[in-house]
Amino acid sequence: MSGTHTPNLTLYFAPRTRSFAALWLLEELGEPYQLESFDFATGRHKQADYLALNPMGKVPLVVDGETPVPEIGAMAIYIADRYVAAGLAPAATDAARPAYLRWMFFASAIMEPAFAQKLFGWEASAATVAWGSYEQMMQVLADGLTEGPWLLGETFSAADVVVGNNLVFGQMIGIIPTDGPIGEYLVRLKAREAFQRAEAIEMREGERFPVAAE
Ligand SMILES: N[C@@H](CCC(=O)N[C@@H](CS)C(=O)NCC(=O)O)C(=O)O
């Protein structure tokens, strides 16, 4: 989105990637930001100056002023706390803060590897691996949505963006149901204005950088 002053926030973004999480988060935030969009084929994310900001050479990456904040969970926690007026995070002293942090870590430490296990068919003992199993992850998430409409109940938070982005991706690859508490939660997420603005930007950038023909 555009603002009246020079944005402090820059998002390094590539279409059709996990960058969408950060794009959606920034649209929820409502602060001006600069979009540095590029095609993976350019190798921008492997150049030395980029690796100095995110040594993993991955997107998304948010830079706040001079401060790089890679990793979706870290950037979501940082941005929501730093730009507190948007109301995307319970304060450290709020009773909802532990649940908020739990869902943030659930997204990266449990959902991400559980999705990969489902997708690639890895054999692993649920008692041994940190993420349990895909089925356990889905059940715990569905249980967490019984009160709803959001993960923290009535209050939407940055944790909904981070968990929700995983679900959007999971639905695209066909491992997330379209019905039940998780499917219904996704419908609510996708109905948000900020989600729809982010989706429009994602589509525009996808058209700028179409998938290269084989
Ligand atoms: N753990 C990272 C994951 C980000 C990620 O996996 N990004 C992928 C795109 S979806 C990427 O940049 N891949 C390019 C590469 O590694 O070369 C985060 O939370 O930000």
Side-chain angles (χ1 to χ4, degrees), residues 19 24 27 74 80 107 112 156:
S19 300
W24 177 13
E27 288 297 326
E112 276 275 6
F156 181 86

Side-chain angles (χ1 to χ4, degrees), residues 138 142 145 171 176-188:
M138 289 292 280
L145 288 167
Q171 207 169 53
I176 297 294
T178 52
D179 57 356
I182 294 178
E184 288 158 16
Y185 172 57
L186 257 169
V187 171
R188 289 194 291 281

Side-chain angles (χ1 to χ4, degrees), residues 14 16-19 40 45-46 50 54 56-61 70-75 108 112 169:
R16 298 174 292 276
T17 69
R18 290 173 176 83
S19 300
F40 273 167
H45 53 316
K46 304 299 174 189
Y50 189 93
N54 182 1
M56 287 296 288
K58 287 184 179 286
V59 290
L61 166 67
E71 293 301 323
I72 293 165
M75 84 179 51
S108 56
E112 276 275 6
F169 172 71

Side-chain angles (χ1 to χ4, degrees), residues 5 10 24 27 35-37 39-40 68 74 79 85 101 105 116 125 154 169 175 185 197:
H5 60 279
T10 303
W24 177 13
E27 288 297 326
L35 188 65
E36 288 288 334
S37 183
D39 188 346
F40 273 167
I79 287 172
L101 292 176
F105 282 81
S125 154
E154 290 300 325
F169 172 71
I175 61 170
Y185 172 57
R197 283 196 301 274

Side-chain angles (χ1 to χ4, degrees), residues 15-16 202-210:
R16 298 174 292 276
E202 166 74 41
M203 282 179 69
R204 184 193 72 204
E205 295 305 309
E207 281 164 17
R208 271 183 73 203
F209 305 118

Side-chain angles (χ1 to χ4, degrees), residues 61-174:
L61 166 67
V62 165
V63 181
D64 182 23
E66 301 288 304
T67 310
V69 196
E71 293 301 323
I72 293 165
M75 84 179 51
I77 292 171
Y78 171 83
I79 287 172
D81 285 351
R82 169 89 172 76
Y83 298 89
V84 72
L88 290 173
T93 50
D94 191 303
R97 183 74 176 187
Y100 169 76
L101 292 176
R102 172 206 169 202
W103 288 118
M104 283 293 186
F105 282 81
F106 188 85
S108 56
I110 298 179
M111 292 180 84
E112 276 275 6
F115 276 16
Q117 178 170 29
K118 176 86 173 163
L119 197 58
F120 299 116
W122 299 338
E123 295 284 334
S125 154
T128 306
V129 297
W131 63 91
S133 68
Y134 173 82
E135 289 71 25
Q136 190 185 2
M137 176 277 288
M138 289 292 280
Q139 188 58 55
V140 168
L141 181 56
D143 292 346
L145 288 167
T146 49
E147 285 187 17
W150 312 115
L151 289 168
L152 301 183
E154 290 300 325
T155 309
F156 181 86
S157 75
D160 291 296
V161 174
V162 175
V163 168
N165 180 69
N166 281 354
L167 292 175
V168 170
F169 172 71
Q171 207 169 53
M172 247 157 41
I173 60 172

